[in-house]
Amino acid sequence: MTQSFPEEVLEHVFSFLTSHTDRNAVSLVSKSWYDTERWCRDHVFIGNCYAVNPRVLTRRFKEVKAVELKGKPHFADFNLVPEGWGGCVDPWIVEMGRVYSGLEEIRLKRMEVTDEGLEMVAKGFGKLKVLVLASCDGFSTDGLAAVAANCRNLRVLDLRECEVEELSCHWLSHFPDSFTLLESLNIACLSSEVSFSALERLVSRSPNLKTLKLNRTVPLEKLSTLLQRAPQLVEFGTGAYSAEGLDAYSSLAEAFSGCKKLKSLSGFWDVIPAYLPAVYSVCSQLTSLNLSYATTQSPDLSKIISHCHNLQRLVVLDYIEDTGLETVATSCKDLKELVVFPSDPYVADANVPLTEQGLVSVSQGCTKLHSVLYFCRQMSNSALVSISKNRPNITCFRLCILEPRSPDYLTLEPLDTGFGSIVENCKQLTRLSMSGLLTDRVFEYIGKHAKKLDMLSIAFAGDTDLGLHYILSGCDSLRKLEIRDCPFGDKALLANASKLETMRSLWMSSCFVSFGACKLLGQKMPRLNVEVIDERENLNSIPENVPVEKVYIYRTVCGQRFDMPDFVRIMGKDKADVYNLS
Amino acid sequence: MTSSKTIVLRSSDGATFEVDEAVALHSLMIKHRIETGGADSTTIDVPEVTGNTLSKVIEYCKKHVEAPNSDDLKSFDTDFVKVDQAVLCHLAKASYYMNIKGLLDLSSKTIADMFKGKTVEQIRETFHIKNDFTPEEEEELRKENSWNLFV
């Protein structure tokens, strides 16, 4: 029937399939469907840049318009991946430049990006509309200048939490005067001044600008000028939100009131509370508010939040306290996502009136809450049980009790039952990050109940290999597992070797996995790269039964990496084992 | 309204259908044929489409031309594609050949919806498609795909 479909009709049918699973399914139906599908798949996502290589990508997909690539594992965010590990995007840019002349969107996360790479992007992809660099490093403002000067079709330049070598404040001036297409600019991560006049001119000539996230150095006094030039903004991030005196207040308040479409606010470094009311006129429009740099006290935070009745996403410091979170619970009935960061993470016993109660209040009052990232200093099983019963719709639960191995502060017991309740009641849970005192028992609960769990982060938890075994044998949907400082070793890993091929990656650092086990695993499973990351000297003379510092295991169709620094070894592949798809 | 000129459409199996010109013009392919065919083209052959399918295509065009703003157009469309999978595929092909975008989108999307959430085997079975991969080839691709290497 459909086999006699003209290719154009089949392509048209495929164009209505948006999920990757559906795309993958139809591509396997027959050879002709595989061919049709690969010619018309235009959005490609590669969750681990070492799982494939650029040639595998370009060999299969011919007409890619949007590519998303991820490099370093997530624990790189906690400085656990040594510098120089890898994840450089340049080879990808070279190969894609050769084949995908129509590439319009590049999204990179945790990758190393060089200035040379950015120049290649700038000169090789004339149709580029979107460049998003999230948690990337390795480039300077020179690379950005090349992008600004050459990407005539650019709509989005988003630098999220990147580390940029800031050589010049004038890179923004490299956008030609004739360039008017900008829709989104995020430079919040830059620490040095940018040329304000260049910024102002750019904003003035960009009628489609919807997102503008400034960096800390843009003074408050200049904000009203920018807002007046861009009243159509939907997302705005201020710079430092402080000034001498209150002279700038009324023009700022007026400028904000002109932004009828504003839905998201962020920035607020060094906030002076007296200036917060300037945003009150837009609060009821806001769906997203990020106050994570607003180092101000609970009453000021509560006041502004109490105006935000339509808020869906809130990011805030623990200065908000339990009382502030009660305000959230009563004022923000549409809240879907809550993030509370610690103000002083390295100070033990800091007297911060934010406890488990704040989270319980929000879980009671905000019926749409499904995503939580919460840093605190105490937790109890009963609170966790309450939260799970209040909000069985939670899909992402990340709890960080600052002191490792903290027990239930009321009973001094482990928090096994609490987290067990979370996985049992929240049946749609896809992401979980745990902390506190946890025994093997919590892993038994997780293996038994967390059938939709996609990503799990564990630190300072568990007693024996059984803990790891429960996870690997029970969590059917698990794709990413990251573990640090847990007493898990060789046994569970080797017993569940085949499970590892069903996952994107497993990270284990400061555990008890030995060199010998890594070698064995690498030999047994040719489709896995078992990367030992160990900065000790004389790695070759360390006995096989000694635990490795770090191991990163991931499935791959292309075997060896060819860009490894000397502290990275891929184990168990002594024979030439480079695996190529024919 | 315009003149009530009629056009005859002839299917691959010789069935003929008399339709108002306005309805026929909903097919851009027919529109082109009329515009380039000269004043005598009152019978137009549609050899890519059988009588059964052509009849249904005409039904679609009629509704969309004669009552484009009616409230029940959406439910008409929904009901229109409640047909068995073979008819659906014929409609998709016919709408492609006859260049009727609305019907092409409607039928394509309906077929796509039938794929959603299905396994490879289920799709093959529903659409009677033979698996022509060797086991080795299929295993390779399965690895590449099921590993979510690409989205």
Side-chain angles (χ1 to χ4, degrees), chain A residues 191-337:
Chain A
S191 49
S192 309
E193 258 186 58
V194 287
S195 155
F196 184 78
S197 56
L199 176 63
E200 193 188 340
R201 283 197 312 274
L202 181 61
V203 170
S204 305
R205 67 178 188 276
S206 304
N208 296 324
L209 194 67
K210 304 261 184 326
T211 298
L212 178 63
K213 294 188 181 175
L214 306 170
N215 72 343
R216 194 175 190 165
T217 65
V218 178
L220 181 143
E221 293 88 342
K222 299 259 168 84
L223 291 186
S224 49
T225 313
L226 288 175
L227 289 174
Q228 276 154 16
R229 303 263 183 276
Q232 76 281 2
L233 283 177
V234 175
E235 295 182 313
F236 182 61
T238 74
Y241 204 69
S242 61
E244 299 276 337
L246 284 175
D247 291 340
Y249 182 88
S250 55
S251 53
L252 183 60
E254 201 181 315
F256 269 117
S257 67
C259 297
K260 305 290 184 203
K261 299 197 175 164
L262 202 59
K263 286 202 142 73
S264 163
L265 271 181
S266 57
F268 298 109
W269 283 275
D270 316 312
V271 69
I272 299 274
Y275 271 97
L276 278 175
V279 308
Y280 281 3
S281 61
V282 295
C283 281
S284 61
Q285 296 162 205
L286 295 181
T287 55
S288 172
L289 180 60
N290 187 334
L291 293 166
S292 58
Y293 294 111
T295 47
T296 187
Q297 298 310 309
S298 180
D300 302 308
L301 295 171
S302 295
K303 256 219 205 109
I304 176 176
I305 287 168
S306 65
H307 285 81
C308 300
H309 300 291
N310 290 307
L311 210 58
Q312 294 177 19
R313 181 172 188 265
L314 175 65
V315 185
V316 73
L317 287 171
D318 56 12
Y319 287 137
I320 193 167
E321 300 177 12
D322 288 343
T323 46
L325 288 176
E326 271 164 42
T327 307
V328 172
T330 48
S331 306
C332 308
K333 290 305 189 185
D334 279 349
L335 196 72
K336 293 182 179 162
E337 189 183 343

Side-chain angles (χ1 to χ4, degrees), chain A residues 22-289:
Chain A
D22 291 333
R23 276 257 165 192
N24 287 343
V26 299
S27 74
L28 276 181
V29 165
S30 74
K31 284 186 178 174
S32 61
W33 282 41
Y34 174 81
D35 265 329
T36 302
E37 198 279 321
R38 68 188 257 263
W39 275 93
C40 68
R41 192 185 306 206
D42 59 8
H43 271 67
V44 176
F45 168 83
I46 296 170
N48 173 8
C49 65
Y50 289 118
V52 288
N53 64 34
R55 273 296 281 146
V56 169
L57 171 67
T58 57
R59 207 162 43 198
R60 176 159 176 192
F61 299 112
K62 299 298 183 184
E63 302 258 332
V64 176
K65 292 218 163 57
V67 72
E68 189 176 344
L69 271 167
K70 293 190 179 180
K72 294 177 207 155
H74 172 242
F75 271 179
D77 289 356
F78 307 104
N79 297 319
L80 289 179
V81 178
E83 196 166 319
W85 170 82
C88 184
V89 77
D90 290 7
W92 292 89
I93 296 174
V94 170
E95 178 63 10
M96 292 193 301
R98 196 179 67 76
V99 181
Y100 301 145
S101 55
L103 194 66
E104 294 181 2
E105 302 181 12
I106 298 174
R107 292 178 171 81
L108 306 177
K109 190 165 185 182
R110 292 193 201 95
M111 294 203 79
E112 189 198 328
V113 181
T114 65
D115 283 345
E116 291 72 32
L118 286 176
E119 268 171 50
M120 283 194 283
V121 165
K123 293 182 181 154
F125 299 118
K127 296 194 178 163
L128 193 73
K129 289 183 178 161
V130 173
L131 182 61
V132 176
L133 305 177
S135 305
C136 295
D137 60 10
F139 61 102
S140 77
T141 43
D142 287 352
L144 296 177
V147 169
N150 294 286
C151 296
R152 297 301 161 102
N153 283 299
L154 199 67
R155 293 352 183 214
V156 175
L157 180 61
D158 186 340
L159 310 173
R160 275 174 217 178
E161 293 168 63
C162 290
E163 271 180 43
V164 184
E165 197 187 347
E166 296 174 59
L167 302 171
S168 154
C169 65
H170 293 293
W171 66 272
L172 271 180
S173 320
H174 287 253
F175 281 112
D177 290 339
S178 54
F179 173 73
T180 60
L181 299 173
L182 201 62
E183 292 175 16
S184 174
L185 180 66
N186 177 1
I187 54 170
C189 64
L190 299 180
S191 49
S192 309
E193 258 186 58
V194 287
S195 155
F196 184 78
S197 56
L199 176 63
E200 193 188 340
R201 283 197 312 274
L202 181 61
V203 170
S204 305
R205 67 178 188 276
S206 304
N208 296 324
L209 194 67
K210 304 261 184 326
T211 298
L212 178 63
K213 294 188 181 175
L214 306 170
N215 72 343
R216 194 175 190 165
T217 65
V218 178
L220 181 143
E221 293 88 342
K222 299 259 168 84
L223 291 186
S224 49
T225 313
L226 288 175
L227 289 174
Q228 276 154 16
R229 303 263 183 276
Q232 76 281 2
L233 283 177
V234 175
E235 295 182 313
F236 182 61
T238 74
Y241 204 69
S242 61
E244 299 276 337
L246 284 175
D247 291 340
Y249 182 88
S250 55
S251 53
L252 183 60
E254 201 181 315
F256 269 117
S257 67
C259 297
K260 305 290 184 203
K261 299 197 175 164
L262 202 59
K263 286 202 142 73
S264 163
L265 271 181
S266 57
F268 298 109
W269 283 275
D270 316 312
V271 69
I272 299 274
Y275 271 97
L276 278 175
V279 308
Y280 281 3
S281 61
V282 295
C283 281
S284 61
Q285 296 162 205
L286 295 181
T287 55
S288 172
L289 180 60

Side-chain angles (χ1 to χ4, degrees), chain A residues 1-6 8-10 12-14 16-18 20-22 24-34 41 43-47 51-52 56-57 60-61 479 501-502 527 555-557 579 581, chain B residues 85-86 88-90 92-93 96-97 101 104-109 111-113 115-120 123-124 127-134 137-151:
Chain A
M1 226 34 70
T2 43
Q3 209 132 23
S4 59
F5 262 179
E8 291 86 347
V9 179
L10 199 56
H12 200 67
V13 172
F14 290 165
F16 292 101
L17 296 173
T18 45
H20 64 268
T21 354
D22 291 333
N24 287 343
V26 299
S27 74
L28 276 181
V29 165
S30 74
K31 284 186 178 174
S32 61
W33 282 41
Y34 174 81
R41 192 185 306 206
H43 271 67
V44 176
F45 168 83
I46 296 170
V52 288
V56 169
L57 171 67
R60 176 159 176 192
F61 299 112
R479 282 190 316 123
E501 259 193 12
T502 69
R527 301 291 212 147
R555 62 189 174 193
T556 176
V557 292
Y579 212 109
L581 277 182
Chain B
Q85 162 269 103
L88 194 55
C89 292
H90 285 307
K93 281 189 274 190
Y96 170 72
Y97 286 125
K101 185 174 192 316
L104 178 61
D105 283 347
L106 177 64
S107 47
S108 299
K109 182 171 189 309
I111 296 171
D113 286 344
F115 293 156
K116 284 181 183 170
K118 289 221 168 49
T119 65
V120 179
I123 297 173
R124 283 185 191 137
F127 291 88
H128 313 297
I129 299 170
K130 188 173 178 306
N131 173 14
D132 55 357
F133 288 116
T134 67
E137 285 169 335
E138 189 171 344
E139 189 52 33
E140 281 301 315
L141 286 168
R142 235 177 234 291
K143 283 234 142 81
E144 204 179 284
N145 280 346
S146 71
W147 290 3
N148 292 341
L149 295 175
F150 303 110
V151 168

Side-chain angles (χ1 to χ4, degrees), chain B residues 59-72:
Chain B
E59 189 193 327
Y60 176 91
C61 294
K62 226 167 171 289
K63 180 73 177 181
H64 278 253
V65 168
E66 289 171 3
N69 300 314
S70 69
D71 294 328
D72 71 338

